[in-house]
Amino acid sequence: MPVLLIGGGLVGSQIADILVNNGEDVTVFDYAPQPESLAENVDVSRLRVIQGDILNPLSIVSALRDSKADRVVHTAAYPMLTIGAQQNPYGAIQINIMGTVNVLESARTMGVERVVVVSSGVLAQSLTGGGDSGDPAFEEAFPRPSTFYAATKQAVESLAANYTAWCGVDVRAVRYAAIAGPWSGRGGGGPSNMFRDLVEGALLKGEIEVPSRPLEWVYSKDAARGTVLALRADNLTDRVFNIGMGRITSAEELAEAIAAAVPETKTSIAPPDPNAAAMFNAVALNLDRSRTVLGYEPHFDVPACVRDYVDWFGAKRM
């Protein structure tokens, strides 16, 4: 079936690889395509790459018409995710919320069968409120996101639910934990770039300082596989699915995994960042629903993530 994949980056490249290897007709739609980086993760001769802008609905409609796609996977987001949104709230709101509205409205207009949108595990970590015993008659009954990025992702999930309920578009959302994975191009969030810098720093310099913040990670290949499972699942009643490892990894565990994969690496742990502590709670995603409904199970733990990245980086440099 033809698929329009919006965003060909860290995870999008892995989604494209899974789809083309299963014989799908894939068109990658990206504001600033990076074909050389994309080619490091997928055979680009087996797909089409087009430039487009999710802030221009006609651009999306044209891509849907030309590709004849009846399914859409929407991975695009404002650059640098939480960090980027804190620096430029307006830009993040435009891309993350209005861009998603444009994708969903284009899908509705063009009669697209199914859409998967990407949410984030920050909705389990960056929340305040939720008091008043959960009584909706009171002001503080509902948890509220504590960062701009989390606020945009809560909006994305709400929009997805309402387009499903009222507009006849079958929309599913996947919530990613912090993503690690092979990608040499632009994009990704703070944790993704930190993981890349740490592993490549160990390989190239032999010495790293690991930020002290504990995180739940998900390897980009697992995130892609969970997304494709959500795309393919039929007769869903649940609409949001956690895609992660289901456990928190400490800075010490990450340092040990890198040192094991790159022997003789000198590691240290950075002092705690009070700003990060104020923005995030270390909460692991519950994977029960994703396991039961989608059949998702993470294939990579943190040591496996590091080893796979090391192998990819070595192959890329040959």
PDB file of all heavy atoms in Angstrom, residues 259-298:
ATOM      1  N   ALA A 259      31.517   2.142  27.837  1.00  0.00           N
ATOM      2  CA  ALA A 259      32.862   1.656  28.131  1.00  0.00           C
ATOM      3  C   ALA A 259      33.022   0.183  27.753  1.00  0.00           C
ATOM      4  O   ALA A 259      34.097  -0.246  27.318  1.00  0.00           O
ATOM      5  CB  ALA A 259      33.174   1.864  29.607  1.00  0.00           C
ATOM      6  N   ALA A 260      31.945  -0.596  27.893  1.00  0.00           N
ATOM      7  CA  ALA A 260      32.012  -2.015  27.516  1.00  0.00           C
ATOM      8  C   ALA A 260      32.134  -2.184  26.014  1.00  0.00           C
ATOM      9  O   ALA A 260      32.826  -3.084  25.528  1.00  0.00           O
ATOM     10  CB  ALA A 260      30.775  -2.743  28.035  1.00  0.00           C
ATOM     11  N   ALA A 261      31.440  -1.316  25.256  1.00  0.00           N
ATOM     12  CA  ALA A 261      31.475  -1.417  23.792  1.00  0.00           C
ATOM     13  C   ALA A 261      32.732  -0.797  23.202  1.00  0.00           C
ATOM     14  O   ALA A 261      33.171  -1.198  22.122  1.00  0.00           O
ATOM     15  CB  ALA A 261      30.238  -0.743  23.201  1.00  0.00           C
ATOM     16  N   VAL A 262      33.284   0.191  23.909  1.00  0.00           N
ATOM     17  CA  VAL A 262      34.497   0.873  23.432  1.00  0.00           C
ATOM     18  C   VAL A 262      35.534   0.783  24.559  1.00  0.00           C
ATOM     19  O   VAL A 262      35.649   1.700  25.388  1.00  0.00           O
ATOM     20  CB  VAL A 262      34.212   2.344  23.061  1.00  0.00           C
ATOM     21  CG1 VAL A 262      35.427   2.974  22.391  1.00  0.00           C
ATOM     22  CG2 VAL A 262      32.986   2.462  22.165  1.00  0.00           C
ATOM     23  N   PRO A 263      36.234  -0.324  24.648  1.00  0.00           N
ATOM     24  CA  PRO A 263      37.158  -0.547  25.771  1.00  0.00           C
ATOM     25  C   PRO A 263      38.176   0.578  25.936  1.00  0.00           C
ATOM     26  O   PRO A 263      38.563   1.241  24.976  1.00  0.00           O
ATOM     27  CB  PRO A 263      37.846  -1.869  25.392  1.00  0.00           C
ATOM     28  CG  PRO A 263      36.863  -2.559  24.493  1.00  0.00           C
ATOM     29  CD  PRO A 263      36.199  -1.464  23.716  1.00  0.00           C
ATOM     30  N   GLU A 264      38.572   0.785  27.178  1.00  0.00           N
ATOM     31  CA  GLU A 264      39.559   1.781  27.586  1.00  0.00           C
ATOM     32  C   GLU A 264      39.022   3.211  27.506  1.00  0.00           C
ATOM     33  O   GLU A 264      39.792   4.171  27.638  1.00  0.00           O
ATOM     34  CB  GLU A 264      40.848   1.651  26.763  1.00  0.00           C
ATOM     35  CG  GLU A 264      41.506   0.284  26.922  1.00  0.00           C
ATOM     36  CD  GLU A 264      42.814   0.161  26.159  1.00  0.00           C
ATOM     37  OE1 GLU A 264      43.252   1.188  25.588  1.00  0.00           O
ATOM     38  OE2 GLU A 264      43.381  -0.937  26.133  1.00  0.00           O
ATOM     39  N   THR A 265      37.700   3.348  27.302  1.00  0.00           N
ATOM     40  CA  THR A 265      37.111   4.687  27.366  1.00  0.00           C
ATOM     41  C   THR A 265      37.133   5.181  28.808  1.00  0.00           C
ATOM     42  O   THR A 265      36.739   4.467  29.735  1.00  0.00           O
ATOM     43  CB  THR A 265      35.654   4.675  26.862  1.00  0.00           C
ATOM     44  OG1 THR A 265      35.635   4.228  25.514  1.00  0.00           O
ATOM     45  CG2 THR A 265      35.024   6.057  26.956  1.00  0.00           C
ATOM     46  N   LYS A 266      37.594   6.396  29.017  1.00  0.00           N
ATOM     47  CA  LYS A 266      37.586   7.021  30.342  1.00  0.00           C
ATOM     48  C   LYS A 266      36.261   7.752  30.497  1.00  0.00           C
ATOM     49  O   LYS A 266      35.916   8.621  29.683  1.00  0.00           O
ATOM     50  CB  LYS A 266      38.764   7.983  30.470  1.00  0.00           C
ATOM     51  CG  LYS A 266      40.123   7.306  30.345  1.00  0.00           C
ATOM     52  CD  LYS A 266      41.252   8.317  30.289  1.00  0.00           C
ATOM     53  CE  LYS A 266      41.400   9.052  31.618  1.00  0.00           C
ATOM     54  NZ  LYS A 266      42.617   9.939  31.601  1.00  0.00           N
ATOM     55  N   THR A 267      35.479   7.376  31.498  1.00  0.00           N
ATOM     56  CA  THR A 267      34.160   7.959  31.693  1.00  0.00           C
ATOM     57  C   THR A 267      34.069   8.705  33.019  1.00  0.00           C
ATOM     58  O   THR A 267      34.732   8.351  33.993  1.00  0.00           O
ATOM     59  CB  THR A 267      33.059   6.881  31.670  1.00  0.00           C
ATOM     60  OG1 THR A 267      33.195   6.037  32.818  1.00  0.00           O
ATOM     61  CG2 THR A 267      33.125   6.036  30.412  1.00  0.00           C
ATOM     62  N   SER A 268      33.248   9.750  33.019  1.00  0.00           N
ATOM     63  CA  SER A 268      32.913  10.470  34.246  1.00  0.00           C
ATOM     64  C   SER A 268      31.460  10.900  34.148  1.00  0.00           C
ATOM     65  O   SER A 268      30.864  10.907  33.063  1.00  0.00           O
ATOM     66  CB  SER A 268      33.827  11.684  34.442  1.00  0.00           C
ATOM     67  OG  SER A 268      33.697  12.585  33.354  1.00  0.00           O
ATOM     68  N   ILE A 269      30.879  11.244  35.295  1.00  0.00           N
ATOM     69  CA  ILE A 269      29.480  11.664  35.355  1.00  0.00           C
ATOM     70  C   ILE A 269      29.441  13.151  35.688  1.00  0.00           C
ATOM     71  O   ILE A 269      30.079  13.604  36.647  1.00  0.00           O
ATOM     72  CB  ILE A 269      28.683  10.877  36.416  1.00  0.00           C
ATOM     73  CG1 ILE A 269      28.860   9.365  36.201  1.00  0.00           C
ATOM     74  CG2 ILE A 269      27.213  11.263  36.377  1.00  0.00           C
ATOM     75  CD1 ILE A 269      28.386   8.844  34.879  1.00  0.00           C
ATOM     76  N   ALA A 270      28.698  13.914  34.884  1.00  0.00           N
ATOM     77  CA  ALA A 270      28.599  15.358  35.098  1.00  0.00           C
ATOM     78  C   ALA A 270      27.788  15.662  36.355  1.00  0.00           C
ATOM     79  O   ALA A 270      26.951  14.862  36.779  1.00  0.00           O
ATOM     80  CB  ALA A 270      27.947  16.016  33.885  1.00  0.00           C
ATOM     81  N   PRO A 271      27.999  16.808  36.959  1.00  0.00           N
ATOM     82  CA  PRO A 271      27.169  17.216  38.100  1.00  0.00           C
ATOM     83  C   PRO A 271      25.706  17.335  37.670  1.00  0.00           C
ATOM     84  O   PRO A 271      25.404  17.589  36.494  1.00  0.00           O
ATOM     85  CB  PRO A 271      27.738  18.582  38.498  1.00  0.00           C
ATOM     86  CG  PRO A 271      29.097  18.632  37.881  1.00  0.00           C
ATOM     87  CD  PRO A 271      29.037  17.809  36.633  1.00  0.00           C
ATOM     88  N   PRO A 272      24.767  17.152  38.594  1.00  0.00           N
ATOM     89  CA  PRO A 272      23.344  17.270  38.249  1.00  0.00           C
ATOM     90  C   PRO A 272      23.014  18.647  37.687  1.00  0.00           C
ATOM     91  O   PRO A 272      23.564  19.662  38.115  1.00  0.00           O
ATOM     92  CB  PRO A 272      22.636  17.042  39.596  1.00  0.00           C
ATOM     93  CG  PRO A 272      23.620  16.267  40.414  1.00  0.00           C
ATOM     94  CD  PRO A 272      24.975  16.751  39.999  1.00  0.00           C
ATOM     95  N   ASP A 273      22.112  18.667  36.701  1.00  0.00           N
ATOM     96  CA  ASP A 273      21.638  19.909  36.078  1.00  0.00           C
ATOM     97  C   ASP A 273      20.320  20.303  36.735  1.00  0.00           C
ATOM     98  O   ASP A 273      19.310  19.624  36.543  1.00  0.00           O
ATOM     99  CB  ASP A 273      21.440  19.689  34.581  1.00  0.00           C
ATOM    100  CG  ASP A 273      20.952  20.938  33.857  1.00  0.00           C
ATOM    101  OD1 ASP A 273      20.629  21.934  34.528  1.00  0.00           O
ATOM    102  OD2 ASP A 273      20.864  20.905  32.612  1.00  0.00           O
ATOM    103  N   PRO A 274      20.299  21.371  37.528  1.00  0.00           N
ATOM    104  CA  PRO A 274      19.052  21.741  38.218  1.00  0.00           C
ATOM    105  C   PRO A 274      17.919  22.082  37.263  1.00  0.00           C
ATOM    106  O   PRO A 274      16.746  21.876  37.580  1.00  0.00           O
ATOM    107  CB  PRO A 274      19.456  22.954  39.068  1.00  0.00           C
ATOM    108  CG  PRO A 274      20.708  23.478  38.436  1.00  0.00           C
ATOM    109  CD  PRO A 274      21.399  22.294  37.841  1.00  0.00           C
ATOM    110  N   ASN A 275      18.236  22.615  36.096  1.00  0.00           N
ATOM    111  CA  ASN A 275      17.191  22.935  35.125  1.00  0.00           C
ATOM    112  C   ASN A 275      16.506  21.675  34.612  1.00  0.00           C
ATOM    113  O   ASN A 275      15.277  21.625  34.480  1.00  0.00           O
ATOM    114  CB  ASN A 275      17.778  23.723  33.952  1.00  0.00           C
ATOM    115  CG  ASN A 275      18.258  25.089  34.362  1.00  0.00           C
ATOM    116  OD1 ASN A 275      17.651  25.752  35.195  1.00  0.00           O
ATOM    117  ND2 ASN A 275      19.367  25.532  33.780  1.00  0.00           N
ATOM    118  N   ALA A 276      17.285  20.635  34.333  1.00  0.00           N
ATOM    119  CA  ALA A 276      16.707  19.375  33.876  1.00  0.00           C
ATOM    120  C   ALA A 276      15.868  18.741  34.968  1.00  0.00           C
ATOM    121  O   ALA A 276      14.779  18.206  34.713  1.00  0.00           O
ATOM    122  CB  ALA A 276      17.811  18.418  33.425  1.00  0.00           C
ATOM    123  N   ALA A 277      16.355  18.812  36.200  1.00  0.00           N
ATOM    124  CA  ALA A 277      15.605  18.239  37.309  1.00  0.00           C
ATOM    125  C   ALA A 277      14.260  18.933  37.490  1.00  0.00           C
ATOM    126  O   ALA A 277      13.266  18.302  37.848  1.00  0.00           O
ATOM    127  CB  ALA A 277      16.429  18.325  38.598  1.00  0.00           C
ATOM    128  N   ALA A 278      14.215  20.230  37.209  1.00  0.00           N
ATOM    129  CA  ALA A 278      12.960  20.969  37.364  1.00  0.00           C
ATOM    130  C   ALA A 278      11.981  20.679  36.240  1.00  0.00           C
ATOM    131  O   ALA A 278      10.766  20.808  36.427  1.00  0.00           O
ATOM    132  CB  ALA A 278      13.264  22.475  37.403  1.00  0.00           C
ATOM    133  N   MET A 279      12.476  20.266  35.067  1.00  0.00           N
ATOM    134  CA  MET A 279      11.613  20.067  33.897  1.00  0.00           C
ATOM    135  C   MET A 279      11.119  18.636  33.748  1.00  0.00           C
ATOM    136  O   MET A 279      10.088  18.389  33.113  1.00  0.00           O
ATOM    137  CB  MET A 279      12.356  20.472  32.618  1.00  0.00           C
ATOM    138  CG  MET A 279      12.618  21.965  32.503  1.00  0.00           C
ATOM    139  SD  MET A 279      13.740  22.371  31.142  1.00  0.00           S
ATOM    140  CE  MET A 279      12.789  21.875  29.727  1.00  0.00           C
ATOM    141  N   PHE A 280      11.843  17.652  34.294  1.00  0.00           N
ATOM    142  CA  PHE A 280      11.534  16.255  34.009  1.00  0.00           C
ATOM    143  C   PHE A 280      11.498  15.417  35.281  1.00  0.00           C
ATOM    144  O   PHE A 280      12.325  15.591  36.175  1.00  0.00           O
ATOM    145  CB  PHE A 280      12.586  15.650  33.066  1.00  0.00           C
ATOM    146  CG  PHE A 280      12.727  16.376  31.770  1.00  0.00           C
ATOM    147  CD1 PHE A 280      13.801  17.230  31.548  1.00  0.00           C
ATOM    148  CD2 PHE A 280      11.799  16.208  30.755  1.00  0.00           C
ATOM    149  CE1 PHE A 280      13.946  17.895  30.343  1.00  0.00           C
ATOM    150  CE2 PHE A 280      11.937  16.872  29.548  1.00  0.00           C
ATOM    151  CZ  PHE A 280      13.007  17.716  29.342  1.00  0.00           C
ATOM    152  N   ASN A 281      10.563  14.479  35.325  1.00  0.00           N
ATOM    153  CA  ASN A 281      10.550  13.436  36.329  1.00  0.00           C
ATOM    154  C   ASN A 281      10.956  12.135  35.651  1.00  0.00           C
ATOM    155  O   ASN A 281      10.557  11.866  34.518  1.00  0.00           O
ATOM    156  CB  ASN A 281       9.150  13.275  36.940  1.00  0.00           C
ATOM    157  CG  ASN A 281       8.687  14.533  37.643  1.00  0.00           C
ATOM    158  OD1 ASN A 281       9.416  15.092  38.452  1.00  0.00           O
ATOM    159  ND2 ASN A 281       7.483  14.973  37.331  1.00  0.00           N
ATOM    160  N   ALA A 282      11.736  11.312  36.334  1.00  0.00           N
ATOM    161  CA  ALA A 282      12.179  10.041  35.762  1.00  0.00           C
ATOM    162  C   ALA A 282      11.063   9.015  35.909  1.00  0.00           C
ATOM    163  O   ALA A 282      10.945   8.348  36.931  1.00  0.00           O
ATOM    164  CB  ALA A 282      13.456   9.563  36.447  1.00  0.00           C
ATOM    165  N   VAL A 283      10.218   8.908  34.896  1.00  0.00           N
ATOM    166  CA  VAL A 283       9.084   7.989  34.895  1.00  0.00           C
ATOM    167  C   VAL A 283       9.207   7.064  33.698  1.00  0.00           C
ATOM    168  O   VAL A 283       9.285   7.528  32.554  1.00  0.00           O
ATOM    169  CB  VAL A 283       7.741   8.742  34.824  1.00  0.00           C
ATOM    170  CG1 VAL A 283       6.576   7.764  34.777  1.00  0.00           C
ATOM    171  CG2 VAL A 283       7.596   9.695  36.002  1.00  0.00           C
ATOM    172  N   ALA A 284       9.233   5.758  33.939  1.00  0.00           N
ATOM    173  CA  ALA A 284       9.314   4.797  32.837  1.00  0.00           C
ATOM    174  C   ALA A 284       7.934   4.571  32.237  1.00  0.00           C
ATOM    175  O   ALA A 284       6.917   4.549  32.950  1.00  0.00           O
ATOM    176  CB  ALA A 284       9.886   3.472  33.339  1.00  0.00           C
ATOM    177  N   LEU A 285       7.889   4.422  30.917  1.00  0.00           N
ATOM    178  CA  LEU A 285       6.636   4.172  30.225  1.00  0.00           C
ATOM    179  C   LEU A 285       6.164   2.737  30.470  1.00  0.00           C
ATOM    180  O   LEU A 285       6.950   1.794  30.419  1.00  0.00           O
ATOM    181  CB  LEU A 285       6.807   4.396  28.721  1.00  0.00           C
ATOM    182  CG  LEU A 285       7.206   5.805  28.285  1.00  0.00           C
ATOM    183  CD1 LEU A 285       7.452   5.841  26.782  1.00  0.00           C
ATOM    184  CD2 LEU A 285       6.142   6.820  28.669  1.00  0.00           C
ATOM    185  N   ASN A 286       4.867   2.583  30.701  1.00  0.00           N
ATOM    186  CA  ASN A 286       4.274   1.254  30.841  1.00  0.00           C
ATOM    187  C   ASN A 286       3.983   0.715  29.442  1.00  0.00           C
ATOM    188  O   ASN A 286       3.259   1.336  28.666  1.00  0.00           O
ATOM    189  CB  ASN A 286       2.991   1.342  31.665  1.00  0.00           C
ATOM    190  CG  ASN A 286       2.405  -0.025  31.959  1.00  0.00           C
ATOM    191  OD1 ASN A 286       2.093  -0.784  31.056  1.00  0.00           O
ATOM    192  ND2 ASN A 286       2.242  -0.336  33.231  1.00  0.00           N
ATOM    193  N   LEU A 287       4.531  -0.459  29.143  1.00  0.00           N
ATOM    194  CA  LEU A 287       4.411  -1.025  27.799  1.00  0.00           C
ATOM    195  C   LEU A 287       3.329  -2.081  27.662  1.00  0.00           C
ATOM    196  O   LEU A 287       3.191  -2.714  26.607  1.00  0.00           O
ATOM    197  CB  LEU A 287       5.755  -1.638  27.367  1.00  0.00           C
ATOM    198  CG  LEU A 287       6.974  -0.718  27.403  1.00  0.00           C
ATOM    199  CD1 LEU A 287       8.206  -1.465  26.907  1.00  0.00           C
ATOM    200  CD2 LEU A 287       6.750   0.546  26.583  1.00  0.00           C
ATOM    201  N   ASP A 288       2.508  -2.264  28.702  1.00  0.00           N
ATOM    202  CA  ASP A 288       1.527  -3.349  28.678  1.00  0.00           C
ATOM    203  C   ASP A 288       0.586  -3.252  27.483  1.00  0.00           C
ATOM    204  O   ASP A 288       0.321  -4.249  26.800  1.00  0.00           O
ATOM    205  CB  ASP A 288       0.705  -3.363  29.974  1.00  0.00           C
ATOM    206  CG  ASP A 288       1.514  -3.810  31.180  1.00  0.00           C
ATOM    207  OD1 ASP A 288       2.651  -4.295  30.983  1.00  0.00           O
ATOM    208  OD2 ASP A 288       1.017  -3.665  32.318  1.00  0.00           O
ATOM    209  N   ARG A 289       0.059  -2.051  27.228  1.00  0.00           N
ATOM    210  CA  ARG A 289      -0.909  -1.907  26.128  1.00  0.00           C
ATOM    211  C   ARG A 289      -0.229  -2.154  24.776  1.00  0.00           C
ATOM    212  O   ARG A 289      -0.787  -2.827  23.906  1.00  0.00           O
ATOM    213  CB  ARG A 289      -1.554  -0.530  26.164  1.00  0.00           C
ATOM    214  CG  ARG A 289      -2.578  -0.300  25.059  1.00  0.00           C
ATOM    215  CD  ARG A 289      -3.317   1.009  25.222  1.00  0.00           C
ATOM    216  NE  ARG A 289      -4.278   0.944  26.320  1.00  0.00           N
ATOM    217  CZ  ARG A 289      -4.158   1.613  27.469  1.00  0.00           C
ATOM    218  NH1 ARG A 289      -3.127   2.424  27.662  1.00  0.00           N
ATOM    219  NH2 ARG A 289      -5.062   1.492  28.422  1.00  0.00           N
ATOM    220  N   SER A 290       0.962  -1.616  24.599  1.00  0.00           N
ATOM    221  CA  SER A 290       1.669  -1.812  23.335  1.00  0.00           C
ATOM    222  C   SER A 290       2.002  -3.286  23.107  1.00  0.00           C
ATOM    223  O   SER A 290       1.938  -3.783  21.974  1.00  0.00           O
ATOM    224  CB  SER A 290       2.950  -0.977  23.313  1.00  0.00           C
ATOM    225  OG  SER A 290       2.653   0.400  23.388  1.00  0.00           O
ATOM    226  N   ARG A 291       2.367  -3.975  24.175  1.00  0.00           N
ATOM    227  CA  ARG A 291       2.651  -5.404  24.052  1.00  0.00           C
ATOM    228  C   ARG A 291       1.392  -6.182  23.685  1.00  0.00           C
ATOM    229  O   ARG A 291       1.391  -7.015  22.767  1.00  0.00           O
ATOM    230  CB  ARG A 291       3.213  -5.940  25.370  1.00  0.00           C
ATOM    231  CG  ARG A 291       4.637  -5.522  25.681  1.00  0.00           C
ATOM    232  CD  ARG A 291       5.148  -6.229  26.925  1.00  0.00           C
ATOM    233  NE  ARG A 291       6.574  -6.028  27.112  1.00  0.00           N
ATOM    234  CZ  ARG A 291       7.112  -5.309  28.091  1.00  0.00           C
ATOM    235  NH1 ARG A 291       6.332  -4.708  28.984  1.00  0.00           N
ATOM    236  NH2 ARG A 291       8.415  -5.175  28.182  1.00  0.00           N
ATOM    237  N   THR A 292       0.301  -5.909  24.402  1.00  0.00           N
ATOM    238  CA  THR A 292      -0.922  -6.682  24.226  1.00  0.00           C
ATOM    239  C   THR A 292      -1.608  -6.391  22.898  1.00  0.00           C
ATOM    240  O   THR A 292      -2.037  -7.306  22.186  1.00  0.00           O
ATOM    241  CB  THR A 292      -1.898  -6.382  25.379  1.00  0.00           C
ATOM    242  OG1 THR A 292      -1.267  -6.715  26.620  1.00  0.00           O
ATOM    243  CG2 THR A 292      -3.185  -7.186  25.229  1.00  0.00           C
ATOM    244  N   VAL A 293      -1.715  -5.115  22.551  1.00  0.00           N
ATOM    245  CA  VAL A 293      -2.501  -4.718  21.383  1.00  0.00           C
ATOM    246  C   VAL A 293      -1.678  -4.755  20.096  1.00  0.00           C
ATOM    247  O   VAL A 293      -2.151  -5.232  19.058  1.00  0.00           O
ATOM    248  CB  VAL A 293      -3.099  -3.305  21.589  1.00  0.00           C
ATOM    249  CG1 VAL A 293      -3.883  -2.865  20.361  1.00  0.00           C
ATOM    250  CG2 VAL A 293      -3.998  -3.283  22.822  1.00  0.00           C
ATOM    251  N   LEU A 294      -0.437  -4.266  20.157  1.00  0.00           N
ATOM    252  CA  LEU A 294       0.386  -4.168  18.950  1.00  0.00           C
ATOM    253  C   LEU A 294       1.352  -5.330  18.778  1.00  0.00           C
ATOM    254  O   LEU A 294       1.865  -5.554  17.687  1.00  0.00           O
ATOM    255  CB  LEU A 294       1.201  -2.865  18.961  1.00  0.00           C
ATOM    256  CG  LEU A 294       0.433  -1.548  19.051  1.00  0.00           C
ATOM    257  CD1 LEU A 294       1.413  -0.379  19.010  1.00  0.00           C
ATOM    258  CD2 LEU A 294      -0.609  -1.432  17.937  1.00  0.00           C
ATOM    259  N   GLY A 295       1.640  -6.031  19.864  1.00  0.00           N
ATOM    260  CA  GLY A 295       2.684  -7.048  19.805  1.00  0.00           C
ATOM    261  C   GLY A 295       4.075  -6.454  19.843  1.00  0.00           C
ATOM    262  O   GLY A 295       5.050  -7.074  19.404  1.00  0.00           O
ATOM    263  N   TYR A 296       4.204  -5.245  20.412  1.00  0.00           N
ATOM    264  CA  TYR A 296       5.498  -4.577  20.492  1.00  0.00           C
ATOM    265  C   TYR A 296       6.311  -5.109  21.659  1.00  0.00           C
ATOM    266  O   TYR A 296       5.799  -5.279  22.774  1.00  0.00           O
ATOM    267  CB  TYR A 296       5.317  -3.069  20.664  1.00  0.00           C
ATOM    268  CG  TYR A 296       6.593  -2.345  21.044  1.00  0.00           C
ATOM    269  CD1 TYR A 296       7.561  -2.059  20.085  1.00  0.00           C
ATOM    270  CD2 TYR A 296       6.841  -1.971  22.369  1.00  0.00           C
ATOM    271  CE1 TYR A 296       8.746  -1.418  20.422  1.00  0.00           C
ATOM    272  CE2 TYR A 296       8.012  -1.325  22.716  1.00  0.00           C
ATOM    273  CZ  TYR A 296       8.965  -1.056  21.744  1.00  0.00           C
ATOM    274  OH  TYR A 296      10.134  -0.426  22.091  1.00  0.00           O
ATOM    275  N   GLU A 297       7.585  -5.350  21.409  1.00  0.00           N
ATOM    276  CA  GLU A 297       8.540  -5.698  22.451  1.00  0.00           C
ATOM    277  C   GLU A 297       9.876  -5.084  22.050  1.00  0.00           C
ATOM    278  O   GLU A 297      10.330  -5.273  20.905  1.00  0.00           O
ATOM    279  CB  GLU A 297       8.689  -7.217  22.570  1.00  0.00           C
ATOM    280  CG  GLU A 297       9.496  -7.681  23.773  1.00  0.00           C
ATOM    281  CD  GLU A 297       8.779  -7.441  25.092  1.00  0.00           C
ATOM    282  OE1 GLU A 297       7.553  -7.636  25.149  1.00  0.00           O
ATOM    283  OE2 GLU A 297       9.466  -7.053  26.063  1.00  0.00           O
ATOM    284  N   PRO A 298      10.528  -4.313  22.927  1.00  0.00           N
ATOM    285  CA  PRO A 298      11.824  -3.737  22.546  1.00  0.00           C
ATOM    286  C   PRO A 298      12.861  -4.830  22.316  1.00  0.00           C
ATOM    287  O   PRO A 298      12.984  -5.759  23.104  1.00  0.00           O
ATOM    288  CB  PRO A 298      12.183  -2.857  23.749  1.00  0.00           C
ATOM    289  CG  PRO A 298      11.371  -3.390  24.891  1.00  0.00           C
ATOM    290  CD  PRO A 298      10.123  -3.930  24.291  1.00  0.00           C
TER     291      PRO A 298
END
